Amino acid sequence: MSSHAQRLEKCFSLVFPNLSSDQIRRATVHSVPEWDSLANINLICLLEEEFAITLEASDLENLSSFEQVLNHVESCHPKES
Amino acid sequence: MRLSEALRVLNESRGIARVRRINLVCGFTALHLKTFLAAHLQSELTDTRIEIVTGVYGDIAGALSGVSAGSELVVLLEWPDLDPRLGFRRLGGWGPAHTPDIAASVRQQLKVLIEKISAVAESSSVTLGLPSTPLPPFTCAPGWILNADTLALRAELNEFALDLSRHSSVRVINSSLVSATGGESAFDFKSELQSGFPYSMSHASTLAATIARALVRRGPKKGLITDLDDTLWSGLLGEVGLDGVSWTLDRGAQIHGIYQQLLNGFASGGTLLAIASKNDSTLVRTALEQLDLVIDKENLYPVEVSWGAKSEAVRKILNCWNIGASDVVFVDDSPMELAEVNSAFPDMECVLFNAADYSYSYELFFKLQDLFGKLEISTEDQLRLPSIKRQELVREHRELVRSEDEFLEELNAVLTVRFTRNFAEARPLELVNKTNQFNLNGVRFDLANWKQLSKDPDRYLVLVDYKDKFGPLGVIAVATGSRSAGVFNMDAWVMSCRAFSRRIEYATMDAIFSNLLVDSIELQFTPTDRNSPFREYLGSVLGRNPDANIRVSKFDFYKICPPLHHTVNIHAECVLEAE
């Protein structure tokens, strides 16, 4: 797993502490009932803290799974693996 | 604290069964403030899981109406809570045409809030935060001018806070201190517009930490032990002599003068001050007699001066004061001395004095204020130092008399025992929450829980005031319990260590048996790390090591009760006879 994926998993685990590592990697807005607007705001703040990127609330509306968020983070920091 | 750290703290606390619930009332979306507040409290209270309950967005008055008695409440105001036009999320109008109406509406809303908060504070504790974000540009005046409209709003708000601060259950946090810290702006415009949360992350964390501090209410430290050379004054007395030491602006030593002034202020609030110095004792005695220091030298007691280890001097001072190391702060300019004392007393806070560093010294003064500051100064605070000094006379007197009974008889002690149901006075709760040694079970109460005790019609609060020929000690013992079927079930009982060895504990039980007319006293006893004096007393009553929860019958008590030489005055502020 890439370093970005590991760091992202840590962010997800803080917001969704009941999910296992495997569940986090397969997480989508639809598969995780706790993934609501408040969780979204916490995720945005954690991603900004962890990856020093700026996100809008609307960004996460289009990023509805762990995989999509990971792709977005990697597009912001393409060199790290 | 960062958000990731806050979430980690909260996730780790999920398994804790004991819950402390805090009602957070604010007009905005609580979001990260809720997370940070829970996390800061959680970090302080590791054996309790913190649960923050929030009300409906934008409805502070409604949320206040729904608060149940005995709650712990945090009310956090921002300008839009007083009138939505003082925020950015509503477009009700700014400018001269609107300002009179805004002012009137703020006045009206503050009136409603003061009524609601006062009503809630009758049975709950309230921590109040005033607006910590700036006003919007709602007037025509330029931003660098505080015009009459803005000043009028601030005046209304200050008057509101002043009125509430007089209520014993309300604490107003210093929001201006919060907004002055952190560097980053308190207000997050983007967050306010996008999610209705007005604070930057760093401000939310700082504000939450301040609220948590007010909620946890750690008691002030009781004593400060200070070094002399390059601490209380500038210069090494043994090197430069009396004329060489200084503490004034003209001699470049003002920081030492400010320190002395600060300590004087603490002393007048009942903080104990002592000297621990490696020095020539004759020289120090002469210096303290002859130098015109800012600090009142009468406040420095005891003065321990020798060439021995500082920790030994500190040990003697603690023995004289009869308080624990964790209640004391040691201040010295030498990191080596601080380390030596800290290694002997790991619970003692050891603080460096470094007059060469101005910003460090400036912060130190405020740090000391936070450690020793208290909201109210009681009669007992003012009696503390004189009574410790008198202990020396008492000790000498004890050595002169033939027996313990003769000694106690000659004290001419007078006990005033008050039976009351008034739990609103500050001193009893303060004594219960800060006494460790003669303490039935170590249970602490917050103000709301303490005041709730008065709701039990069978409950009594017993307050014992002591004086003898050496002077008054004030209220030195507090007990409370509930009477039922001839039993007084006592769940809190503390006595100040200054009142030990005078048989006041026996006299207290005697007063309860005689006035509440019960056949036995049940003691909700729990051994703690520090209540061995209480354990020893119970052992002497029972004739064995005490277990938890003990019942002492009147018959058994009077079999072992030693002669009591006090004159006892009983003040009954409530009906004492059983119904």
Side-chain angles (χ1 to χ4, degrees):
Chain A
M1 193 167 31
S2 73
S3 135
H4 281 139
Q6 284 172 344
R7 287 162 64 194
L8 186 60
E9 192 181 311
K10 255 198 274 175
C11 295
F12 269 69
S13 72
L14 287 171
V15 181
F16 308 117
N18 294 323
L19 299 188
S20 67
S21 168
D22 189 48
Q23 287 170 320
I24 285 174
R25 269 177 274 133
R26 287 187 284 109
T28 69
V29 170
H30 306 294
S31 70
V32 180
E34 299 89 350
W35 194 334
D36 57 12
S37 57
L38 175 61
N40 245 1
I41 291 173
N42 277 335
L43 264 180
I44 289 174
C45 293
L46 288 173
L47 295 176
E48 289 182 343
E49 261 185 24
E50 180 64 32
F51 297 102
I53 56 177
T54 304
L55 287 165
E56 301 296 332
S58 55
D59 288 338
L60 266 195
E61 282 167 19
N62 302 321
L63 304 172
S64 55
S65 68
F66 177 86
E67 196 181 347
Q68 286 176 348
V69 178
L70 179 60
N71 289 338
H72 182 79
V73 167
E74 286 182 334
S75 71
C76 297
H77 295 279
K79 284 182 183 167
E80 197 177 340
S81 62
Chain B
M1 187 183 276
R2 287 157 60 101
L3 183 64
S4 52
E5 190 187 342
L7 289 169
R8 195 168 299 119
V9 168
L10 296 181
N11 288 339
E12 282 166 6
S13 72
R14 284 185 307 152
I16 301 172
R18 192 171 154 198
V19 174
R20 181 164 168 182
R21 194 164 287 116
I22 310 287
N23 286 273
L24 173 60
V25 176
C26 57
F28 51 86
T29 315
L31 265 183
H32 309 305
L33 182 72
K34 183 177 172 180
T35 308
F36 281 123
L37 179 57
H40 279 290
L41 279 169
Q42 196 66 67
S43 306
E44 291 276 339
L45 308 166
T46 47
D47 60 341
T48 307
R49 183 161 51 83
I50 303 299
E51 209 174 280
I52 309 285
V53 182
T54 50
V56 179
Y57 175 83
D59 185 15
I60 286 195
L64 286 169
S65 301
V67 172
S68 52
S71 300
E72 277 190 278
L73 195 68
V74 175
V75 181
L76 208 51
L77 298 179
E78 284 302 335
W79 291 110
D81 300 321
L82 306 181
D83 186 301
R85 289 168 288 187
L86 295 177
F88 293 93
R89 291 178 66 86
R90 301 278 281 275
L91 301 173
W94 287 341
H98 297 276
T99 46
D101 190 52
I102 289 175
S105 127
V106 166
R107 201 171 304 121
Q108 178 57 28
Q109 176 70 344
L110 288 174
K111 198 174 153 198
V112 170
L113 288 175
I114 209 163
E115 279 170 14
K116 295 224 176 248
I117 294 172
S118 300
V120 169
E122 289 303 316
S123 59
S124 301
S125 63
V126 180
T127 302
L128 174 66
L130 302 177
S132 59
T133 57
L135 278 161
F138 76 107
T139 72
C140 285
W144 63 88
I145 293 291
L146 287 172
N147 74 347
D149 295 325
T150 307
L151 288 168
L153 287 189
R154 289 179 191 273
E156 294 276 359
L157 189 69
N158 284 341
E159 200 173 320
F160 159 83
L162 180 64
D163 274 0
L164 283 173
S165 73
R166 292 191 178 114
H167 201 295
S168 65
S169 301
V170 179
R171 297 277 182 272
V172 184
I173 62 162
N174 190 346
S175 303
S176 62
L177 188 70
V178 173
S179 36
T181 58
E184 190 185 334
S185 166
F187 186 58
D188 187 329
F189 185 51
K190 177 181 162 187
S191 171
E192 168 72 343
L193 291 186
Q194 288 194 346
S195 52
F197 182 68
Y199 302 139
S200 66
M201 295 296 264
S202 67
H203 182 67
S205 176
T206 311
L207 184 57
T210 307
I211 297 167
R213 214 170 196 192
L215 287 170
V216 173
R217 294 182 194 196
R218 297 244 180 267
K221 299 280 185 184
K222 295 175 182 171
L224 183 146
I225 301 172
T226 182
D227 177 37
L228 287 176
D229 291 343
D230 284 335
T231 303
L232 197 69
W233 53 55
S234 170
L236 304 179
L237 182 65
E239 300 283 334
V240 298
L242 265 62
D243 294 335
V245 295
S246 56
W247 54 91
T248 55
L249 194 60
D250 59 322
R251 295 179 66 181
Q254 182 78 355
I255 284 174
H256 302 274
I258 297 168
Y259 176 58
Q260 290 186 29
Q261 179 171 265
L262 187 69
L263 297 195
N264 250 355
F266 294 160
S268 59
T271 300
L272 301 169
L273 304 175
I275 301 287
S277 171
K278 276 185 182 170
N279 239 315
D280 181 280
S281 58
T282 311
L283 194 54
V284 167
R285 198 178 314 120
T286 311
L288 290 177
E289 277 166 14
Q290 295 185 8
L291 293 174
D292 186 21
L293 299 172
V294 176
I295 195 163
D296 180 349
K297 285 163 269 190
E298 289 297 310
N299 290 332
L300 301 169
Y301 185 84
V303 176
E304 289 293 337
V305 181
S306 74
W307 295 109
K310 279 273 170 87
S311 58
E312 270 316 300
V314 167
R315 194 181 310 280
K316 285 180 187 168
I317 293 165
L318 292 181
N319 284 339
C320 173
W321 286 347
N322 198 13
I323 58 178
S326 61
D327 289 323
V328 173
V329 175
F330 174 61
V331 184
D332 201 297
D333 66 304
S334 159
M336 190 272 285
E337 301 289 14
L338 292 169
E340 194 266 326
V341 169
N342 200 221
S343 116
F345 301 99
D347 292 341
M348 186 176 291
E349 184 149 358
C350 295
V351 178
L352 180 71
F353 194 92
N354 181 6
D357 186 334
Y358 282 81
S359 59
Y360 172 86
S361 299
Y362 180 71
E363 281 175 22
L364 173 65
F365 297 143
F366 289 96
K367 177 182 174 165
L368 291 175
Q369 184 194 22
D370 287 348
L371 286 169
F372 290 97
K374 50 183 77 165
L375 290 167
E376 283 167 359
I377 297 165
S378 64
T379 313
E380 286 71 21
D381 286 328
Q382 287 161 336
L383 291 173
R384 191 165 297 120
L385 179 60
S387 78
I388 285 172
K389 287 183 175 177
R390 280 196 302 269
Q391 297 278 11
E392 201 60 38
L393 291 173
V394 173
R395 262 193 293 274
E396 285 167 13
H397 185 70
R398 195 184 282 267
E399 283 161 14
L400 288 175
V401 295
R402 287 189 299 277
S403 69
E404 184 74 6
D405 277 300
E406 189 186 0
F407 163 73
L408 291 172
E409 197 171 355
E410 288 184 7
L411 283 178
N412 299 327
V414 178
L415 283 180
T416 302
V417 184
R418 274 173 65 203
F419 288 87
T420 178
R421 291 204 172 104
N422 176 9
F423 284 74
E425 288 176 30
R427 171 66 179 166
L429 177 59
E430 179 200 45
L431 202 57
V432 166
N433 281 343
K434 77 176 186 184
T435 305
N436 297 308
Q437 298 181 77
F438 193 93
N439 188 324
L440 175 64
N441 48 29
V443 171
R444 307 299 197 205
F445 294 80
D446 62 45
L447 185 62
N449 291 337
W450 181 250
K451 288 174 95 173
Q452 275 300 101
L453 296 178
S454 66
K455 305 286 180 203
D456 173 2
D458 297 317
R459 181 169 282 276
Y460 294 88
L461 180 62
V462 186
L463 308 177
V464 182
D465 180 288
Y466 176 89
K467 67 177 177 184
D468 60 28
K469 69 177 183 182
F470 295 107
L473 293 185
V475 175
I476 41 74
V478 174
T480 183
S482 203
R483 179 176 59 188
S484 174
V487 179
F488 187 62
N489 189 331
M490 207 191 282
D491 45 20
W493 184 11
V494 299
M495 184 170 72
S496 164
C497 54
R498 290 181 296 131
F500 285 2
S501 308
R502 289 171 172 84
R503 299 184 185 165
I504 296 169
E505 57 278 34
Y506 292 96
T508 304
M509 282 185 75
D510 172 48
I512 290 170
F513 276 124
S514 312
N515 291 279
L516 293 182
L517 305 175
V518 289
D519 300 321
S520 56
I521 297 175
E522 191 158 305
L523 297 146
Q524 301 295 322
F525 171 68
T526 307
T528 70
D529 291 342
R530 298 174 70 180
N531 71 353
S532 58
F534 197 95
R535 213 158 42 228
E536 281 163 26
Y537 168 64
L538 270 188
S540 74
V541 171
L542 298 169
R544 59 178 166 79
N545 281 337
D547 315 315
N549 300 352
I550 286 141
R551 185 174 286 205
V552 179
S553 72
K554 190 172 179 177
F555 181 78
D556 288 341
F557 174 73
Y558 285 109
K559 267 200 300 188
I560 57 86
C561 183
L564 301 177
H565 302 284
H566 325 88
T567 300
V568 180
N569 300 319
I570 301 294
H571 285 195
E573 294 174 9
C574 51
V575 178
L576 298 184
E577 294 80 26
E579 288 168 15

